[in-house]
Amino acid sequence: MDALDHKLNEQFPGKVVRKDLVHQIKKAANVPSFVLEFLLSKYCATDDPDEIEAGKKAVLNVIESNYVRPDEANRAQSMVHQKGRHKFIDKVHVKFYERERRHWAAMENFNSTRIAINEKFYAENEKLLEGGIWAEVKVAHNDVEDDDYAFYIEELKPIQLARFNEQQFLTGRSAFTRDEWIDVILRSVGLNPSIMDNPPPEIKAKFPSGLRLKLHFLARLIPLVQSNYNFLELGPRGTGKSYFYSEFSPYSTLLSGGQASTATLLYNNARKKVGAVGFWDNIGFDEVGNMKIKDSDTIQIMKDYMANGRFSRGQEVIASASFAFVGNIDHSVEQLVNSYQHDLFITLPKAFDLAVQDRFFFFLPGWEIPKTDQKFLTNQFGLITDYMAEAFHYLFKHNTEYFNIVNRVQLGPNVQGRDELAIRKTISGLLKIIHPDGKPSPVELDELVAYAIEGRRRVKEQMNKRKPDDEFALIDLSFVDSAGIEQIIYCPESRYATATQNPRRSAEQLVEEPEAIKRVLIDEPAQSVRPSTADELTNAEIDENAIIEITPPALTEKHVKIHYGDRGFSYETVFGAYLKGAVEVVVEDPFIRTSHQIGNFLRFCELLVKLGDCEKVTLVTWADSAEQQEKNKVLFTQLGDSLEEQGVFLTLRFSETLHDREVWLSNGWRVRLGRGLDYFQSPAGNYLQIGTNDYGLRPCLETNIDFFKS
């Protein structure tokens, strides 16, 4: 034990553990660190060597008898059948099955997905329904042969502290200096701060050391203490990026592969329940470069949530979970910062456009963190992971006192709206981790402010490279330090990279790729000037240095006459070009009331979703009777819910005085419809004929359609 170990044991008796014990036992059982330390705190809460050895044996015995490896699941199930019941340490999920109208529990290592569970367990621990939790579980065998399940959960105890005394935590922190407390935090997550102060030559030659490297590791913890925080880290493999979000805290969850849907992540319309953002302090997205979004509007709703912690899904949802996006970068950082064509966001998925990127508060340079191996692991004492997680959970819910300090920081003139929010939130997060008692010195605060600004500047530099205009050109972010001097902060990797600092290229450099020009010429014959025959195209000379400008045909006011029996007048053919750019669409048609007329309106809405510009559609119609009106309200509500899933909001109004049939578009066009949307002939009971589903092949009724520029 060194001096810091002694002080830590004095200030936090019973709340510390030898981290090398965790490393030793973890080799024998691949369970999360907070699970191991939960057991070590029960059996090894001492500094007596003999008692520690006895405690280690006890922990190993508990793991051996209660922790089941996945390949031992069959033996575990047989044991429960023979003994009647047995206690396990496992991760438990609960899922509702709509067809059966009941909940079933699943235990990962026990390898059973059909375990009966009492409602009280998932009512008291809602995280069971959103990603699952690690727990001590007593599983019993069901001897009733007529039942369709073999096991049920008799007892369930989540693995986490029952109570947390925040005043004791803050008082204990006040006994340490700033540097001592940073080392305590690093030891508590299992890292060796000593090697960061004095790294071996092979590491020192390639990576930063001292406070900067330590801040990199601490920055990974910001999403665990700062609500509604958007964090990004890209770097090489093997640096422990995902570890902080999978094993350090039971209040954080990691989505492997970044797979997520609107229902599971944000809000489930069918169940009328908030998704994961309502149950976790932090949601980590591993391998962000391979992120898959199941619902097309998930990104749009994520943008709203990342901007202000709220979104609308029929009702307004407010949550506080932070997002941590981590991923690999397989390119040379030096080449990327010196490239006019590429940037450090190169590995992000295409769905992460500038709007998403602008919502990143901090971009951690993962390439400055060395790969984690044995020498980076500590064998000293640290706070029990679960205790630290409870402290961070407390800090996560308390922001006001830290923003009082942050708001006194004077930022420079180039710091704009989102920049300021990002920087101040990062400073607040670092204060919570390093100075939870809220007492940094002026110089210490200056260091945190400079580090926070650097993380935001790294985000803004990449956006500035991607945006052809100067919207994000104010990248020289600064602050006024404690001596009253304005300090401009730079990112080390790009400070002297002209392509990053001044990415506006000359006219000579703005040349289309030859292959891109060829692709335009071949794939866009209707919109580009090109030879009219295949022979001419083959023999044509393509100017590879020319810039081909594609100009769509201009829209004009027109009259369309459709005769009885005409085909080829689908909604897309008739309206498609005029609907582009219309954010809001109003349909006035009193004859959208019967089933097939509502079906026509559904197809029109599908076209709006397909084009992707419309955000709001309003329908003004009428009904034949009060009974029909109430019935149709239900149908339009169902359609509205489906449109909401696609990011389009439906408003319905009934008007008994409405007569004319028109479509009003927010892009300035108005369409007058003689028959409204119902200008197709009915299949007359025979739905197995061409044109039943493809309206472009269905014969029409006679009607007139006029397009006006209003």
Side-chain angles (χ1 to χ4, degrees):
M1 293 176 63
D2 60 13
L4 190 58
D5 286 332
H6 285 291
K7 183 183 284 192
L8 194 56
N9 276 275
E10 291 170 4
Q11 297 298 325
F12 296 96
K15 302 293 192 302
V16 297
V17 67
R18 282 247 310 273
K19 294 295 174 173
D20 58 326
L21 300 181
V22 180
H23 304 321
Q24 293 171 19
I25 298 176
K26 197 169 179 62
K27 294 176 181 178
N30 186 22
V31 296
S33 297
F34 62 85
V35 175
L36 283 181
E37 294 185 11
F38 170 80
L39 297 173
L40 287 168
S41 66
K42 291 174 63 175
Y43 298 102
C44 298
T46 177
D47 57 358
D48 182 88
D50 294 333
E51 292 185 22
I52 286 179
E53 285 302 315
K56 284 170 58 178
K57 292 179 181 179
V59 170
L60 289 170
N61 288 334
V62 169
I63 293 175
E64 184 177 351
S65 58
N66 300 137
Y67 177 78
V68 180
R69 297 199 307 268
D71 59 349
E72 298 174 339
N74 189 56
R75 181 178 65 84
Q77 294 179 13
S78 176
M79 180 170 56
V80 174
H81 174 71
Q82 296 173 24
K83 295 173 55 178
R85 55 187 43 78
H86 189 76
K87 184 179 289 186
F88 296 96
I89 297 174
D90 205 343
K91 190 169 187 179
V92 185
H93 309 259
V94 176
K95 186 176 181 180
F96 178 73
Y97 289 84
E98 185 177 2
R99 289 187 178 180
E100 301 179 59
R101 298 185 179 181
R102 67 169 298 172
H103 293 76
W104 292 106
M107 292 170 57
E108 288 190 356
N109 292 356
F110 189 70
N111 196 26
S112 177
T113 59
R114 198 175 179 83
I115 305 173
I117 184 169
N118 193 296
E119 181 181 357
K120 68 177 182 179
F121 294 123
Y122 53 82
E124 294 171 356
N125 302 281
E126 288 191 313
K127 287 183 183 176
L128 285 167
L129 299 165
E130 302 291 341
I133 60 173
W134 281 88
E136 289 183 315
V137 190
K138 182 180 286 187
V139 181
H141 185 262
N142 178 30
D143 295 323
V144 181
E145 294 184 1
D146 293 338
D147 289 343
D148 58 349
Y149 61 92
F151 307 106
Y152 64 94
I153 291 179
E154 197 169 75
E155 295 178 8
L156 187 146
K157 180 182 178 182
I159 294 179
Q160 57 190 94
L161 292 179
R163 291 181 301 276
F164 171 73
N165 187 326
E166 64 275 8
Q167 194 55 51
Q168 183 184 57
F169 172 74
L170 297 176
T171 301
R173 159 62 184 97
S174 64
F176 297 83
T177 66
R178 190 277 304 267
D179 292 340
E180 286 178 338
W181 185 249
I182 288 177
D183 288 354
V184 166
I185 299 296
L186 293 172
R187 287 184 180 186
S188 297
V189 296
L191 297 173
N192 179 9
S194 299
I195 197 172
M196 301 179 196
D197 290 323
N198 299 292
E202 67 273 13
I203 293 178
K204 192 171 184 178
K206 297 180 180 179
F207 303 97
S209 59
L211 180 62
R212 179 173 179 81
L213 182 55
K214 292 179 179 180
L215 285 176
H216 285 345
F217 284 108
L218 296 182
R220 289 173 169 174
L221 302 173
I222 297 177
L224 301 179
V225 298
Q226 187 63 47
S227 60
N228 298 117
Y229 190 82
N230 307 315
F231 174 87
L232 174 68
E233 178 183 356
L234 300 176
R237 294 169 178 81
T239 59
K241 293 186 294 293
S242 59
Y243 166 80
F244 285 78
Y245 312 118
S246 63
E247 304 215 10
F248 181 68
S249 172
Y251 295 101
S252 175
T253 187
L254 183 69
L255 300 180
S256 297
Q259 294 194 22
S261 67
T262 305
T264 58
L265 181 63
L266 299 161
Y267 189 80
N268 189 318
N269 260 340
R271 291 171 52 196
K272 305 298 180 186
K273 293 200 68 175
V274 179
V277 294
F279 297 93
W280 301 96
D281 289 355
N282 173 67
I283 300 171
F285 298 86
D286 197 11
E287 302 292 349
V288 65
N290 299 323
M291 191 168 179
K292 299 178 179 65
I293 300 296
K294 298 178 181 178
D295 301 334
S296 59
D297 62 338
T298 299
I299 286 289
Q300 183 58 48
I301 301 174
M302 279 179 62
K303 291 177 186 176
D304 295 339
Y305 178 75
M306 291 170 69
N308 50 35
R310 65 182 65 193
F311 58 90
S312 178
R313 294 283 287 167
Q315 67 177 38
E316 188 172 59
V317 176
I318 301 175
S320 57
S322 294
F323 286 166
F325 300 93
V326 297
N328 300 322
I329 185 167
D330 298 319
H331 305 76
S332 165
V333 172
E334 183 179 1
Q335 290 179 352
L336 290 176
V337 298
N338 286 287
S339 168
Y340 284 98
Q341 287 77 30
H342 304 293
D343 53 61
L344 295 174
F345 284 161
I346 190 171
T347 58
L348 292 183
K350 292 182 179 179
F352 279 29
D353 56 14
L354 286 169
V356 175
Q357 296 164 15
D358 199 19
R359 287 157 169 79
F360 291 138
F361 295 155
F362 190 90
F363 182 178
L364 180 67
W367 52 87
E368 290 191 13
I369 299 178
K371 293 195 175 187
T372 304
D373 56 23
Q374 191 64 37
K375 58 179 171 289
F376 271 90
L377 303 179
T378 184
N379 60 359
Q380 306 296 135
F381 279 85
L383 292 169
I384 294 172
T385 300
D386 199 39
Y387 178 72
M388 198 64 178
E390 290 296 332
F392 281 6
H393 180 59
Y394 168 81
L395 295 168
F396 182 89
K397 296 186 294 184
H398 294 78
N399 293 311
T400 307
E401 54 268 41
Y402 301 98
F403 269 104
N404 290 336
I405 302 173
V406 173
N407 288 335
R408 295 198 295 267
V409 175
Q410 183 180 347
L411 299 174
N414 286 350
V415 176
Q416 300 171 316
R418 285 214 171 104
D419 302 329
E420 181 176 1
L421 176 64
I423 292 167
R424 295 195 187 280
K425 278 207 166 192
T426 302
I427 299 169
S428 175
L430 291 171
L431 284 173
K432 290 180 178 183
I433 297 169
I434 303 172
H435 301 279
D437 53 352
K439 298 177 181 178
S441 70
V443 174
E444 291 171 345
L445 183 59
D446 285 348
E447 290 175 331
L448 299 186
V449 174
Y451 185 74
I453 292 176
E454 178 195 318
R456 175 59 185 179
R457 175 170 181 149
R458 188 170 288 109
V459 173
K460 204 167 184 181
E461 285 183 349
Q462 314 320 309
M463 295 191 297
N464 186 40
K465 290 183 74 173
R466 292 197 170 194
K467 197 77 160 59
D469 56 31
D470 60 355
E471 180 181 355
F472 301 110
L474 299 178
I475 59 175
D476 283 343
L477 308 183
S478 62
F479 77 106
V480 179
D481 64 17
S482 56
I485 302 172
E486 182 181 3
Q487 300 286 348
I488 298 176
I489 305 303
Y490 296 89
C491 301
E493 72 279 357
S494 61
R495 179 167 186 171
Y496 302 107
T498 304
T500 297
Q501 301 306 313
N502 185 21
R504 305 292 174 259
R505 291 171 288 175
S506 63
E508 290 77 13
Q509 292 172 302
L510 291 174
V511 177
E512 292 282 349
E513 297 283 345
E515 288 301 320
I517 295 179
K518 294 176 184 178
R519 186 167 60 252
V520 169
L521 288 174
I522 294 172
D523 293 347
E524 301 289 344
Q527 297 181 358
S528 60
V529 180
R530 48 159 265 173
S532 57
T533 67
D535 291 336
E536 290 173 355
L537 177 61
T538 302
N539 298 323
E541 292 185 3
I542 299 176
D543 182 1
E544 295 186 344
N545 294 319
I547 298 178
I548 304 298
E549 294 185 0
I550 300 174
T551 304
L555 299 179
T556 59
E557 295 187 344
K558 66 179 181 179
H559 170 77
V560 177
K561 175 69 174 181
I562 301 177
H563 297 278
Y564 185 89
D566 281 352
R567 302 174 189 266
F569 291 92
S570 67
Y571 293 148
E572 186 167 6
T573 301
V574 175
F575 303 103
Y578 291 82
L579 291 172
K580 291 180 179 178
V583 177
E584 183 173 354
V585 176
V586 179
V587 178
E588 295 181 350
D589 190 340
F591 294 99
I592 299 182
R593 52 181 74 174
T594 65
S595 296
H596 84 274
Q597 290 168 343
I598 295 174
N600 290 336
F601 181 69
L602 168 61
R603 287 184 178 271
F604 184 79
C605 291
E606 287 176 338
L607 174 59
L608 296 177
V609 171
K610 182 179 178 181
L611 293 175
D613 294 330
C614 183
E615 298 175 1
K616 179 181 179 182
V617 57
T618 301
L619 172 63
V620 186
T621 188
W622 186 234
D624 292 322
S625 63
E627 180 180 355
Q628 186 186 59
Q629 181 171 318
E630 291 303 312
K631 176 183 176 182
N632 287 354
K633 281 183 179 179
V634 175
L635 298 177
F636 285 120
T637 298
Q638 294 175 359
L639 174 57
D641 289 342
S642 180
L643 282 170
E644 246 181 73
E645 294 287 337
Q646 303 298 325
V648 181
F649 294 91
L650 172 65
T651 301
L652 175 67
R653 296 206 311 268
F654 288 94
S655 172
E656 61 184 28
T657 61
L658 184 66
H659 179 270
D660 293 335
R661 281 157 270 196
E662 294 183 308
V663 177
W664 297 79
L665 309 176
S666 63
N667 60 9
W669 285 98
R670 186 180 72 171
V671 186
R672 183 174 295 165
L673 305 164
R675 286 183 175 270
L677 296 177
D678 190 15
Y679 59 83
F680 298 100
Q681 294 184 27
S682 169
N686 180 12
Y687 289 93
L688 293 177
Q689 58 180 300
I690 299 301
T692 298
N693 295 312
D694 187 344
Y695 277 22
L697 299 175
R698 182 181 287 198
C700 299
L701 299 168
E702 185 168 344
T703 189
N704 294 290
I705 303 176
D706 294 290
F707 293 80
F708 301 95
K709 188 69 174 178
S710 60

